[in-house]
Amino acid sequence: QVPLVESGGGSVQAGGSLRLSCAYSGYTYSPYSMGWFRQAPGKEREGVARIYNRDGTTVYADSVKGRFIISRDNAKKTLNLQMNSLKPEDTAMYYCAADDRVMATTIRDVTSFPYRGQGTQVVVSS
């Protein structure tokens, strides 16, 4: 399994911003779908954002739409998540995930992508 390595988590006050990154340099190609999901203590996993590497098509959870932006750099093999206007309810462990299968995927599917990183913690205080 090729590792996905997240970075960029941390603590921020409500209204602030953070940028998460996920390096997949061990891949010799870019996975068809990549995304981010999060999980807060005692809650289910929630798909946050997904991007198709081939054409850059994105989809977002309603809870983050307009605040988060997912992007990728296929040359550098990096996936990013720019998180703006953060809220305390965004506090969670954030995971990078990838799927090689060439198929349509929904935001919910991101939570079950076969490859995922170890996660990076995001804490938003009020």
Side-chain angles (χ1 to χ4, degrees), residues 58-83:
T58 59
V59 65
Y60 297 90
D62 288 342
S63 58
V64 306
K65 203 171 294 183
R67 301 188 296 122
F68 290 12
I69 301 171
I70 188 172
S71 63
R72 90 285 191 219
D73 186 328
N74 287 339
K76 295 181 179 179
K77 292 188 172 62
T78 302
L79 179 74
N80 301 303
L81 185 69
Q82 178 66 41
M83 305 187 296

mmCIF file of all heavy atoms in Angstrom, residues 58-83:
data_model
loop_
_atom_site.group_PDB
_atom_site.id
_atom_site.type_symbol
_atom_site.label_atom_id
_atom_site.label_comp_id
_atom_site.label_asym_id
_atom_site.label_seq_id
_atom_site.Cartn_x
_atom_site.Cartn_y
_atom_site.Cartn_z
ATOM 1 N N THR A 58 -14.791 18.662 -8.755
ATOM 2 C CA THR A 58 -14.867 18.603 -7.296
ATOM 3 C C THR A 58 -16.306 18.465 -6.805
ATOM 4 O O THR A 58 -17.261 18.799 -7.511
ATOM 5 C CB THR A 58 -14.259 19.860 -6.663
ATOM 6 O OG1 THR A 58 -14.973 21.011 -7.144
ATOM 7 C CG2 THR A 58 -12.792 20.004 -7.020
ATOM 8 N N VAL A 59 -16.425 17.973 -5.594
ATOM 9 C CA VAL A 59 -17.709 17.946 -4.900
ATOM 10 C C VAL A 59 -17.420 18.155 -3.417
ATOM 11 O O VAL A 59 -16.364 17.738 -2.922
ATOM 12 C CB VAL A 59 -18.473 16.625 -5.153
ATOM 13 C CG1 VAL A 59 -17.740 15.431 -4.565
ATOM 14 C CG2 VAL A 59 -19.887 16.711 -4.621
ATOM 15 N N TYR A 60 -18.333 18.827 -2.731
ATOM 16 C CA TYR A 60 -18.142 19.162 -1.328
ATOM 17 C C TYR A 60 -19.358 18.760 -0.495
ATOM 18 O O TYR A 60 -20.486 18.744 -0.985
ATOM 19 C CB TYR A 60 -17.921 20.671 -1.158
ATOM 20 C CG TYR A 60 -16.679 21.199 -1.818
ATOM 21 C CD1 TYR A 60 -16.701 21.665 -3.132
ATOM 22 C CD2 TYR A 60 -15.468 21.228 -1.131
ATOM 23 C CE1 TYR A 60 -15.556 22.147 -3.738
ATOM 24 C CE2 TYR A 60 -14.319 21.714 -1.728
ATOM 25 C CZ TYR A 60 -14.370 22.164 -3.032
ATOM 26 O OH TYR A 60 -13.215 22.634 -3.631
ATOM 27 N N ALA A 61 -19.097 18.511 0.775
ATOM 28 C CA ALA A 61 -20.200 18.342 1.711
ATOM 29 C C ALA A 61 -20.881 19.695 1.885
ATOM 30 O O ALA A 61 -20.227 20.741 1.839
ATOM 31 C CB ALA A 61 -19.670 17.840 3.052
ATOM 32 N N ASP A 62 -22.188 19.666 2.107
ATOM 33 C CA ASP A 62 -22.921 20.921 2.308
ATOM 34 C C ASP A 62 -22.356 21.710 3.487
ATOM 35 O O ASP A 62 -22.371 22.941 3.474
ATOM 36 C CB ASP A 62 -24.401 20.622 2.542
ATOM 37 C CG ASP A 62 -25.114 20.158 1.289
ATOM 38 O OD1 ASP A 62 -24.580 20.381 0.184
ATOM 39 O OD2 ASP A 62 -26.193 19.566 1.412
ATOM 40 N N SER A 63 -21.860 21.001 4.485
ATOM 41 C CA SER A 63 -21.377 21.658 5.705
ATOM 42 C C SER A 63 -20.122 22.505 5.471
ATOM 43 O O SER A 63 -19.804 23.358 6.300
ATOM 44 C CB SER A 63 -21.091 20.604 6.779
ATOM 45 O OG SER A 63 -20.145 19.669 6.310
ATOM 46 N N VAL A 64 -19.411 22.274 4.361
ATOM 47 C CA VAL A 64 -18.166 23.018 4.119
ATOM 48 C C VAL A 64 -18.206 23.806 2.811
ATOM 49 O O VAL A 64 -17.265 24.544 2.504
ATOM 50 C CB VAL A 64 -16.947 22.078 4.106
ATOM 51 C CG1 VAL A 64 -16.895 21.246 5.379
ATOM 52 C CG2 VAL A 64 -16.920 21.183 2.877
ATOM 53 N N LYS A 65 -19.268 23.660 2.063
ATOM 54 C CA LYS A 65 -19.362 24.318 0.766
ATOM 55 C C LYS A 65 -19.228 25.831 0.924
ATOM 56 O O LYS A 65 -19.840 26.436 1.806
ATOM 57 C CB LYS A 65 -20.702 23.963 0.109
ATOM 58 C CG LYS A 65 -20.734 24.098 -1.385
ATOM 59 C CD LYS A 65 -22.036 23.518 -1.943
ATOM 60 C CE LYS A 65 -22.111 22.036 -1.731
ATOM 61 N NZ LYS A 65 -23.339 21.444 -2.334
ATOM 62 N N GLY A 66 -18.386 26.416 0.094
ATOM 63 C CA GLY A 66 -18.156 27.853 0.172
ATOM 64 C C GLY A 66 -17.067 28.258 1.137
ATOM 65 O O GLY A 66 -16.636 29.416 1.149
ATOM 66 N N ARG A 67 -16.602 27.314 1.963
ATOM 67 C CA ARG A 67 -15.539 27.617 2.933
ATOM 68 C C ARG A 67 -14.261 26.830 2.648
ATOM 69 O O ARG A 67 -13.165 27.313 2.918
ATOM 70 C CB ARG A 67 -16.020 27.306 4.355
ATOM 71 C CG ARG A 67 -17.246 28.077 4.785
ATOM 72 C CD ARG A 67 -17.554 27.860 6.256
ATOM 73 N NE ARG A 67 -17.898 26.463 6.563
ATOM 74 C CZ ARG A 67 -17.240 25.720 7.450
ATOM 75 N NH1 ARG A 67 -16.209 26.208 8.112
ATOM 76 N NH2 ARG A 67 -17.628 24.465 7.678
ATOM 77 N N PHE A 68 -14.395 25.611 2.158
ATOM 78 C CA PHE A 68 -13.243 24.746 1.904
ATOM 79 C C PHE A 68 -13.012 24.635 0.400
ATOM 80 O O PHE A 68 -13.961 24.644 -0.390
ATOM 81 C CB PHE A 68 -13.484 23.339 2.463
ATOM 82 C CG PHE A 68 -13.484 23.232 3.961
ATOM 83 C CD1 PHE A 68 -13.528 24.347 4.781
ATOM 84 C CD2 PHE A 68 -13.459 21.974 4.560
ATOM 85 C CE1 PHE A 68 -13.529 24.236 6.169
ATOM 86 C CE2 PHE A 68 -13.463 21.839 5.941
ATOM 87 C CZ PHE A 68 -13.505 22.969 6.737
ATOM 88 N N ILE A 69 -11.746 24.498 0.034
ATOM 89 C CA ILE A 69 -11.385 24.303 -1.367
ATOM 90 C C ILE A 69 -10.385 23.151 -1.472
ATOM 91 O O ILE A 69 -9.332 23.192 -0.835
ATOM 92 C CB ILE A 69 -10.758 25.574 -1.971
ATOM 93 C CG1 ILE A 69 -11.730 26.751 -1.872
ATOM 94 C CG2 ILE A 69 -10.366 25.334 -3.432
ATOM 95 C CD1 ILE A 69 -11.110 28.082 -2.255
ATOM 96 N N ILE A 70 -10.727 22.163 -2.278
ATOM 97 C CA ILE A 70 -9.814 21.044 -2.519
ATOM 98 C C ILE A 70 -9.092 21.290 -3.840
ATOM 99 O O ILE A 70 -9.682 21.783 -4.806
ATOM 100 C CB ILE A 70 -10.574 19.693 -2.546
ATOM 101 C CG1 ILE A 70 -9.591 18.524 -2.604
ATOM 102 C CG2 ILE A 70 -11.579 19.641 -3.692
ATOM 103 C CD1 ILE A 70 -10.269 17.152 -2.432
ATOM 104 N N SER A 71 -7.804 20.960 -3.862
ATOM 105 C CA SER A 71 -7.031 21.132 -5.085
ATOM 106 C C SER A 71 -5.944 20.079 -5.132
ATOM 107 O O SER A 71 -5.640 19.454 -4.113
ATOM 108 C CB SER A 71 -6.419 22.536 -5.146
ATOM 109 O OG SER A 71 -5.515 22.739 -4.079
ATOM 110 N N ARG A 72 -5.387 19.888 -6.331
ATOM 111 C CA ARG A 72 -4.314 18.910 -6.439
ATOM 112 C C ARG A 72 -3.239 19.435 -7.375
ATOM 113 O O ARG A 72 -3.497 20.251 -8.238
ATOM 114 C CB ARG A 72 -4.857 17.546 -6.900
ATOM 115 C CG ARG A 72 -4.893 17.290 -8.417
ATOM 116 C CD ARG A 72 -5.992 18.029 -9.088
ATOM 117 N NE ARG A 72 -6.183 17.579 -10.470
ATOM 118 C CZ ARG A 72 -6.468 18.392 -11.473
ATOM 119 N NH1 ARG A 72 -6.568 19.694 -11.266
ATOM 120 N NH2 ARG A 72 -6.665 17.909 -12.695
ATOM 121 N N ASP A 73 -2.040 18.928 -7.153
ATOM 122 C CA ASP A 73 -0.904 19.218 -8.026
ATOM 123 C C ASP A 73 -0.360 17.864 -8.457
ATOM 124 O O ASP A 73 0.375 17.221 -7.711
ATOM 125 C CB ASP A 73 0.151 20.035 -7.282
ATOM 126 C CG ASP A 73 1.290 20.477 -8.184
ATOM 127 O OD1 ASP A 73 1.623 19.745 -9.133
ATOM 128 O OD2 ASP A 73 1.854 21.558 -7.927
ATOM 129 N N ASN A 74 -0.751 17.435 -9.647
ATOM 130 C CA ASN A 74 -0.367 16.097 -10.099
ATOM 131 C C ASN A 74 1.143 15.970 -10.318
ATOM 132 O O ASN A 74 1.705 14.900 -10.139
ATOM 133 C CB ASN A 74 -1.122 15.729 -11.374
ATOM 134 C CG ASN A 74 -2.587 15.427 -11.088
ATOM 135 O OD1 ASN A 74 -2.964 15.121 -9.960
ATOM 136 N ND2 ASN A 74 -3.419 15.523 -12.110
ATOM 137 N N ALA A 75 1.790 17.059 -10.685
ATOM 138 C CA ALA A 75 3.238 17.012 -10.900
ATOM 139 C C ALA A 75 3.970 16.789 -9.576
ATOM 140 O O ALA A 75 4.928 16.025 -9.501
ATOM 141 C CB ALA A 75 3.710 18.286 -11.565
ATOM 142 N N LYS A 76 3.499 17.471 -8.525
ATOM 143 C CA LYS A 76 4.124 17.326 -7.217
ATOM 144 C C LYS A 76 3.513 16.197 -6.407
ATOM 145 O O LYS A 76 3.974 15.884 -5.311
ATOM 146 C CB LYS A 76 3.991 18.641 -6.434
ATOM 147 C CG LYS A 76 4.749 19.803 -7.041
ATOM 148 C CD LYS A 76 4.593 21.055 -6.182
ATOM 149 C CE LYS A 76 5.376 22.218 -6.780
ATOM 150 N NZ LYS A 76 5.222 23.455 -5.956
ATOM 151 N N LYS A 77 2.428 15.592 -6.948
ATOM 152 C CA LYS A 77 1.716 14.519 -6.242
ATOM 153 C C LYS A 77 1.317 14.981 -4.840
ATOM 154 O O LYS A 77 1.687 14.373 -3.816
ATOM 155 C CB LYS A 77 2.538 13.245 -6.204
ATOM 156 C CG LYS A 77 2.719 12.604 -7.586
ATOM 157 C CD LYS A 77 3.367 11.248 -7.505
ATOM 158 C CE LYS A 77 3.361 10.541 -8.848
ATOM 159 N NZ LYS A 77 4.103 11.256 -9.880
ATOM 160 N N THR A 78 0.584 16.071 -4.825
ATOM 161 C CA THR A 78 0.110 16.652 -3.575
ATOM 162 C C THR A 78 -1.366 17.001 -3.696
ATOM 163 O O THR A 78 -1.795 17.556 -4.711
ATOM 164 C CB THR A 78 0.902 17.921 -3.235
ATOM 165 O OG1 THR A 78 2.287 17.609 -3.151
ATOM 166 C CG2 THR A 78 0.448 18.495 -1.903
ATOM 167 N N LEU A 79 -2.122 16.668 -2.653
ATOM 168 C CA LEU A 79 -3.531 17.028 -2.543
ATOM 169 C C LEU A 79 -3.640 18.041 -1.409
ATOM 170 O O LEU A 79 -3.011 17.867 -0.364
ATOM 171 C CB LEU A 79 -4.372 15.789 -2.224
ATOM 172 C CG LEU A 79 -5.870 16.011 -2.056
ATOM 173 C CD1 LEU A 79 -6.516 16.250 -3.421
ATOM 174 C CD2 LEU A 79 -6.508 14.808 -1.375
ATOM 175 N N ASN A 80 -4.420 19.087 -1.625
ATOM 176 C CA ASN A 80 -4.544 20.135 -0.621
ATOM 177 C C ASN A 80 -6.001 20.377 -0.244
ATOM 178 O O ASN A 80 -6.913 20.114 -1.025
ATOM 179 C CB ASN A 80 -3.954 21.447 -1.148
ATOM 180 C CG ASN A 80 -2.497 21.319 -1.523
ATOM 181 O OD1 ASN A 80 -1.660 20.947 -0.705
ATOM 182 N ND2 ASN A 80 -2.183 21.593 -2.778
ATOM 183 N N LEU A 81 -6.192 20.888 0.969
ATOM 184 C CA LEU A 81 -7.512 21.312 1.417
ATOM 185 C C LEU A 81 -7.337 22.648 2.128
ATOM 186 O O LEU A 81 -6.784 22.704 3.230
ATOM 187 C CB LEU A 81 -8.146 20.285 2.354
ATOM 188 C CG LEU A 81 -9.584 20.613 2.775
ATOM 189 C CD1 LEU A 81 -10.520 20.470 1.563
ATOM 190 C CD2 LEU A 81 -10.043 19.695 3.897
ATOM 191 N N GLN A 82 -7.789 23.705 1.483
ATOM 192 C CA GLN A 82 -7.772 25.040 2.086
ATOM 193 C C GLN A 82 -9.060 25.216 2.865
ATOM 194 O O GLN A 82 -10.147 25.111 2.289
ATOM 195 C CB GLN A 82 -7.645 26.111 1.000
ATOM 196 C CG GLN A 82 -7.672 27.531 1.523
ATOM 197 C CD GLN A 82 -6.455 27.853 2.374
ATOM 198 O OE1 GLN A 82 -5.334 27.471 2.052
ATOM 199 N NE2 GLN A 82 -6.684 28.568 3.488
ATOM 200 N N MET A 83 -8.929 25.457 4.148
ATOM 201 C CA MET A 83 -10.097 25.565 5.016
ATOM 202 C C MET A 83 -10.176 26.990 5.560
ATOM 203 O O MET A 83 -9.287 27.431 6.288
ATOM 204 C CB MET A 83 -9.996 24.563 6.164
ATOM 205 C CG MET A 83 -9.800 23.130 5.696
ATOM 206 S SD MET A 83 -9.879 21.928 7.039
ATOM 207 C CE MET A 83 -8.472 22.412 8.004
#
